[in-house]
Amino acid sequence: LKGCCDLGFAAYAPCDNDRVVEAAGIGKEDLLGKCIWDVFPDTVESQFYIEVHRTVAEQTVVQFEYYYSSWQRWFENRVYPSASGVSILTTEITEGKRAEEALRRSEGRLQLALTAAKMFVWELDYKTGRAVCSEVAREVCGFREGALDDFIALTHPDDRLDLQQAVQQAITQGTPISMDYRIRSPEG
């Protein structure tokens, strides 16, 4: 959902954008010429209200995300000052927000599982040669981030050559590494 609406200084909405009208669930005749704060009284004193007024007061573009609980939807708003008040460009971002939340929950479950199993994930920045490990790596082997050679030095001597070869193959072929190898703890 994308929409644009112009609000005059008195916050009257000469908006006839069909997408905005559709989202509002209000007929054009009930929206046109009405004060937005009268049409949506639950937004008065909200973040949306404050940001619109800030745009007018500071004559600056303001961009913000806002959850409108009455519709149970998230919106990204860009509010632009104009000679007669403000213009608002609104994009519904609810699905993106839901996906972000699902990803956060999934990452939390993964971290819990990794911690319980005393396992960790690491990745290599090919350009800098730096390895970055998930948080549990600090507990398991005392390493969180550093040179790849320092990370490989933590592997068991019998596994080191295999890991070095797997890393070279991954770099050459652009594929992930999937192998088992042993890591020495900070105590040796």
Side-chain angles (χ1 to χ4, degrees):
L1 170 71
K2 289 188 178 205
C4 182
C5 196
D6 291 317
L7 301 179
F9 283 118
Y12 288 92
C15 178
D16 63 354
N17 183 300
D18 290 334
R19 296 293 305 250
V20 174
V21 170
E22 176 187 332
I26 299 170
K28 282 185 187 182
E29 63 283 350
D30 296 323
L31 186 60
L32 289 173
K34 301 284 174 69
C35 176
I36 190 170
W37 313 125
D38 290 338
V39 176
F40 303 106
D42 53 341
T43 62
V44 174
E45 302 302 326
S46 69
Q47 178 195 8
F48 182 82
Y49 179 92
I50 291 166
E51 298 295 352
V52 168
H53 282 83
R54 182 166 72 100
T55 299
V56 173
E58 297 176 8
Q59 287 296 292
T60 187
V61 176
V62 176
Q63 180 175 338
F64 63 97
E65 294 177 354
Y66 177 69
Y67 180 73
Y68 187 44
S69 59
S70 294
W71 294 350
Q72 297 184 350
R73 293 181 183 178
W74 278 94
F75 296 92
E76 178 182 69
N77 299 283
R78 291 185 185 95
V79 187
Y80 300 90
S82 67
S84 62
V86 296
S87 293
I88 303 173
L89 176 63
T90 301
T91 304
E92 183 179 356
I93 58 171
T94 305
E95 287 306 312
K97 286 293 197 177
R98 287 180 183 149
E100 286 174 11
E101 180 58 29
L103 179 60
R104 255 192 305 280
R105 285 193 310 270
S106 178
E107 287 175 344
R109 288 190 301 270
L110 174 62
Q111 284 304 317
L112 182 64
L114 290 172
T115 300
K118 294 211 180 279
M119 296 175 65
F120 60 89
V121 176
W122 66 279
E123 57 188 55
L124 171 65
D125 182 330
Y126 297 139
K127 293 178 183 171
T128 65
R130 294 189 61 79
V132 178
C133 299
S134 58
E135 190 62 38
V136 75
R138 186 174 291 137
E139 177 186 332
V140 172
C141 65
F143 187 89
R144 176 75 168 100
E145 181 176 347
L148 175 62
D149 291 339
D150 294 340
F151 175 73
I152 290 177
L154 295 171
T155 59
H156 188 279
D158 294 344
D159 298 336
R160 198 169 293 147
L161 182 60
D162 290 340
L163 180 58
Q164 287 172 325
Q165 290 172 344
V167 167
Q168 284 307 313
Q169 182 178 357
I171 291 171
T172 303
Q173 296 178 359
T175 58
I177 297 171
S178 179
M179 66 177 286
D180 293 327
Y181 51 89
R182 294 165 286 179
I183 297 284
R184 293 181 302 164
S185 71
E187 295 81 33

